[in-house]
Amino acid sequence: MADEMGAPKDRKILVAVDESEESMHALSWCLENVLFCSNSKDTLILLYAIPPRAVYPTFDNTGYVFSSDFLAMMLKYNNDAAGFVTEKAKRKCKEQVQDVKVETRIEHGDPRDVICAVAEKLHVDVVVMGSHGHGLIKRAFLGSVSNHCVQNVKCPVLIVKKPKPDCRSK
């Protein structure tokens, strides 16, 4: 991408990260294949979406089965996990690409909606995400975050699939 004068345009690249190997693979792939060829000062935005906690119906219709202490503990755990994952991703960025500007964002909500909303709000140039490779039946029940983002994000979405191990390499 270049501006009217032919100079490389600074890009905003949103990478969705979570605890999965697939998301870290997508980040590494992005660092090797998207950032390496750029002469501009790209900004890499690492986004972690903390999914909403499940609310289970109760006999008295209050909507909570767990105590407030347990819910507070789960919120702390989710925030700690998000911090750990984003720090791990930042370290990976600094190790693979010396001169990259990295921002982190931790948002609460359904990852499908969070990724789409943040991409639009920040006017990113591309969204990069890993594919968990769920089969057709699992995708039908759980839905596909990547498919939802491809359908709803207004910029290009790059889905990076982790290669399966080669059975012949034994």
Side-chain angles (χ1 to χ4, degrees):
M1 286 186 237
D3 63 13
E4 298 84 34
M5 304 297 286
K9 177 183 177 274
D10 294 345
R11 299 177 298 175
K12 290 183 185 177
I13 302 165
L14 178 69
V15 181
V17 294
D18 61 18
E19 296 86 356
S20 70
E21 289 180 28
E22 291 85 0
S23 97
M24 287 300 136
H25 175 74
L27 174 60
S28 289
W29 192 92
C30 176
L31 294 168
E32 292 170 8
N33 296 286
V34 176
L35 290 181
F36 89 97
C37 61
S38 173
N39 294 326
S40 64
K41 293 291 181 189
D42 293 334
T43 301
L44 195 62
I45 303 160
L46 305 173
L47 173 63
Y48 185 99
I50 298 176
R53 64 178 178 242
V55 176
Y56 301 99
T58 60
F59 294 116
D60 62 359
N61 291 323
T62 59
Y64 294 101
V65 173
F66 304 113
S67 71
S68 60
D69 289 341
F70 181 80
L71 294 174
M73 181 183 71
M74 288 304 298
L75 180 61
K76 181 181 178 339
Y77 171 80
N78 288 336
N79 287 331
D80 289 348
F84 176 79
V85 169
T86 54
E87 285 305 312
K88 178 181 175 184
K90 277 173 64 174
R91 279 193 309 276
K92 182 179 277 296
C93 292
K94 298 298 181 192
E95 290 167 5
Q96 282 190 250
V97 180
Q98 304 305 318
D99 193 26
V100 61
K101 182 179 176 187
V102 179
E103 296 175 6
T104 59
R105 293 184 68 104
I106 298 172
E107 302 284 338
H108 292 263
D110 185 318
R112 300 166 229 262
D113 300 327
V114 168
I115 294 166
C116 294
V118 170
E120 187 167 338
K121 179 180 177 184
L122 299 180
H123 306 287
V124 300
D125 296 291
V126 65
V127 173
V128 178
M129 56 195 319
S131 170
H132 290 280
H134 296 310
L136 180 62
I137 294 172
K138 198 168 190 179
R139 241 189 352 260
F141 285 108
L142 299 176
S144 167
V145 174
S146 56
N147 186 54
H148 180 84
C149 292
V150 165
Q151 298 299 320
N152 294 288
V153 172
K154 293 181 171 91
C155 67
V157 177
L158 179 60
I159 301 170
V160 180
K161 194 171 177 181
K162 187 174 182 207
K164 295 188 190 259
D166 188 4
C167 298
R168 294 173 284 164
S169 63
K170 290 184 179 181

